[in-house]
Amino acid sequence: MSLRIGFVVVLAALECLQFCSRANAQDAHATDQSPARKLILAHYMPWFVANENERSWGWHWTMNTFDPNVIADGKRAVASHFYPLIGPYDSGDSKVLEFHLLTMKMAGIDGVIVDWYGLQDFRDYKTLHQNTQRLIEHAERLGMAFAICYEDQTVPALVAEKKLDAANRISHTTAELDWLAKNWFSRKCYVKVDSRPLLLSFGQDGLTDAEWQACLSRVATPVAYFSQHHQRKAAVGAFDWPSPKEGTSANTRFLKEATNKSAVIPVAFPRFVDIYAEAKVHPSWGRVEDQRGETFKRTLQAALNHDARIVQIATWNDWGEGTMIEPSVEFGYRDLEIVQRLRREKIDSKFVPREEDLLLPKKLFELQQKQSTDAGSKQLDVIAKLIADLELDQARRALNATFE
């Protein structure tokens, strides 16, 4: 099949598939009172900045110590013990976002919980917000679910830098939550629990319990609020997170104490090997060994065995803490193969993608890196949609034709 003919065929297929993809995404990701099945969501960091043309790199690649412009053995010097399979990237790059989301879909991950720092033009918060907006646009286009984890530590940080009056902590946070409700909570692919949009908050150093109660009582849209580790008074539940000084015993305890399936979001993670001490940021938080994939396999099995409706993987791409399951030079696709197998075993025996399908998004990404014409870009957009809609045979044929 020639490249031109192949493009016409898949373009025609896309017209038929677009409506089905939207409908399927809505059915699969609506988590109302009786969800069709358990959701697997990956915690996503939108904070990487990389401008190779200007040789400019953000803090999360450098941590003020590493210089990615230094290359040794084909790798840039980045602030991580591990190395992305596609190399250090920019979180605002549409090609990267598409690669991430399509690879997640091939693994059986339903969507992302995005780490969000609010709307203020302070530190890198504005860039993080813009990257999150772009990620959400791609998630909707590809039929992936999404939710927000609010970093409420931003509030005392703004106060400390005199960007916010301490008396306005509650009104400031309420305004940000109302913005989320107006702009993101109402979207079809936003995750909901009992018909309410899911909202997480990270850590315990931001708002007090009383402040969270005040904020949530004032927001125009009721939310399903989950706090970290322990259920706050204003929360409907708690989500778990790696505790590197305690190891996996902390996660076992969380699951043992969790009796209400609606009130918990268990966590699965592959390891915790941070770079903070080497980067001279602060002492290491602790270490949880990878154990050749056993840490991830055990924590994901335990999370899926629980009756909770949502499982969170921590993380997709926190390279600084080494908790990523994004494909890496060191681990390849191993962790994603574990997700595939356990999703098929625990959730959906008819889950379509196989191990070899994990490679399709990277092949597409490599083609996009080389593409310079509008016609070629449109063709690759069609292939991306075919992958998203699990029309994998057609996608594979189109990719092979393009490679030829």
Side-chain angles (χ1 to χ4, degrees):
M1 181 168 63
S2 71
L3 185 60
R4 184 182 299 274
I5 294 173
F7 175 59
V8 172
V9 170
V10 293
L11 183 60
L14 176 63
E15 297 300 323
C16 298
L17 291 169
Q18 279 179 331
F19 173 79
C20 294
S21 175
R22 286 194 295 268
N24 290 340
Q26 186 174 357
D27 290 343
H29 301 310
T31 54
D32 288 338
Q33 282 133 7
S34 300
R37 59 169 176 77
K38 193 186 302 285
L39 290 183
I40 302 175
L41 304 175
H43 197 92
Y44 192 94
M45 310 303 187
W47 58 32
F48 295 102
V49 175
N51 189 327
E52 295 187 36
N53 294 330
E54 297 181 7
R55 296 168 62 84
S56 174
W57 303 86
W59 185 86
H60 289 280
W61 288 131
T62 71
M63 295 194 186
N64 299 329
T65 298
F66 296 86
D67 183 1
N69 293 313
V70 174
I71 302 175
D73 298 326
K75 297 180 184 178
R76 296 182 180 274
V78 295
S80 177
H81 291 288
F82 310 105
Y83 201 78
L85 195 61
I86 62 170
Y89 50 79
D90 193 288
S91 294
D93 186 332
S94 291
K95 296 184 291 295
V96 170
L97 297 174
E98 186 172 84
F99 165 72
H100 284 171
L101 291 166
L102 289 177
T103 304
M104 288 182 206
K105 177 158 277 193
M106 293 302 94
I109 296 168
D110 296 290
V112 291
I113 296 176
V114 192
D115 217 48
W116 188 68
Y117 283 69
L119 300 164
Q120 300 302 302
D121 187 4
F122 174 62
R123 295 178 179 170
D124 61 348
Y125 299 174
K126 183 177 180 180
T127 299
L128 294 172
H129 174 69
Q130 291 170 342
N131 291 346
T132 300
Q133 179 68 59
R134 193 164 293 141
L135 173 66
I136 288 171
E137 291 168 359
H138 283 283
E140 289 189 313
R141 179 172 64 86
L142 300 173
M144 298 288 281
F146 69 95
I148 292 296
C149 179
Y150 182 50
E151 289 271 1
D152 64 347
Q153 62 173 295
T154 58
V155 178
L158 288 166
V159 172
E161 295 296 324
K162 301 189 184 308
K163 301 291 184 180
L164 175 68
D165 192 298
N168 296 328
R169 286 165 58 109
I170 293 173
S171 59
H172 164 82
T173 305
T174 302
E176 297 213 308
L177 298 184
D178 280 336
W179 187 95
L180 288 173
K182 180 180 179 181
N183 292 276
W184 291 344
F185 287 170
S186 60
R187 299 205 180 194
K188 287 183 179 179
C189 285
Y190 197 94
V191 178
K192 295 181 175 61
V193 175
D194 297 333
S195 301
R196 291 181 290 170
L198 173 67
L199 175 69
L200 282 62
S201 73
F202 196 88
Q204 310 290 332
D205 299 326
L207 301 179
T208 65
D209 281 10
E211 286 175 322
W212 265 112
Q213 285 181 297
C215 290
L216 293 174
S217 69
R218 298 181 186 186
V219 293
T221 301
V223 300
Y225 167 52
F226 284 69
S227 50
Q228 185 185 350
H229 289 315
H230 306 289
Q231 183 175 340
R232 290 182 161 189
K233 292 180 180 179
V236 300
F239 69 94
D240 203 12
W241 195 257
S243 300
K245 291 192 181 301
E246 294 184 75
T248 58
S249 62
N251 309 106
T252 301
R253 183 174 64 250
F254 178 88
L255 290 174
K256 185 177 181 180
E257 294 174 354
T259 56
N260 183 350
K261 67 178 182 179
S262 300
V264 293
I265 300 177
V267 70
F269 63 102
R271 72 197 74 80
F272 194 103
V273 185
D274 67 43
I275 196 74
Y276 297 135
E278 292 85 346
K280 301 178 177 61
V281 175
H282 53 64
S284 170
W285 291 125
R287 190 178 181 101
V288 179
E289 299 294 347
D290 179 86
Q291 297 184 348
R292 297 184 179 183
E294 283 301 309
T295 298
F296 187 48
K297 182 180 178 181
R298 288 200 305 268
T299 56
L300 184 56
Q301 280 181 324
L304 292 174
N305 285 338
H306 194 273
D307 288 335
R309 292 181 285 183
I310 297 170
V311 168
Q312 180 174 208
I313 296 174
T315 62
W316 174 257
N317 62 337
D318 193 334
W319 291 93
E321 295 187 351
T323 56
M324 72 293 151
I325 63 165
E326 177 186 348
S328 65
V329 170
E330 293 76 14
F331 304 109
Y333 289 83
R334 185 204 66 193
D335 295 331
L336 300 182
E337 292 170 4
I338 291 173
V339 178
Q340 272 191 342
R341 291 196 298 271
L342 290 180
R343 171 168 175 155
R344 195 170 285 117
E345 177 184 330
K346 303 289 185 181
I347 298 176
D348 181 8
S349 62
K350 297 181 180 179
F351 178 63
V352 173
R354 301 289 168 174
E355 287 184 10
E356 59 268 24
D357 297 319
L358 288 166
L359 304 178
L360 295 177
K362 187 170 185 289
K363 290 182 179 179
L364 178 63
F365 176 78
E366 290 169 350
L367 286 174
Q368 290 171 327
Q369 297 290 85
K370 301 173 183 176
Q371 190 52 248
S372 59
T373 67
D374 289 342
S377 295
K378 289 179 180 178
Q379 179 176 359
L380 297 180
D381 287 344
V382 169
I383 296 174
K385 197 66 172 64
L386 288 171
I387 296 173
D389 289 326
L390 302 184
E391 297 292 334
L392 302 182
D393 289 338
Q394 290 189 54
R396 194 174 292 106
R397 288 195 295 269
L399 278 171
N400 291 337
T402 306
F403 268 108
E404 293 172 1

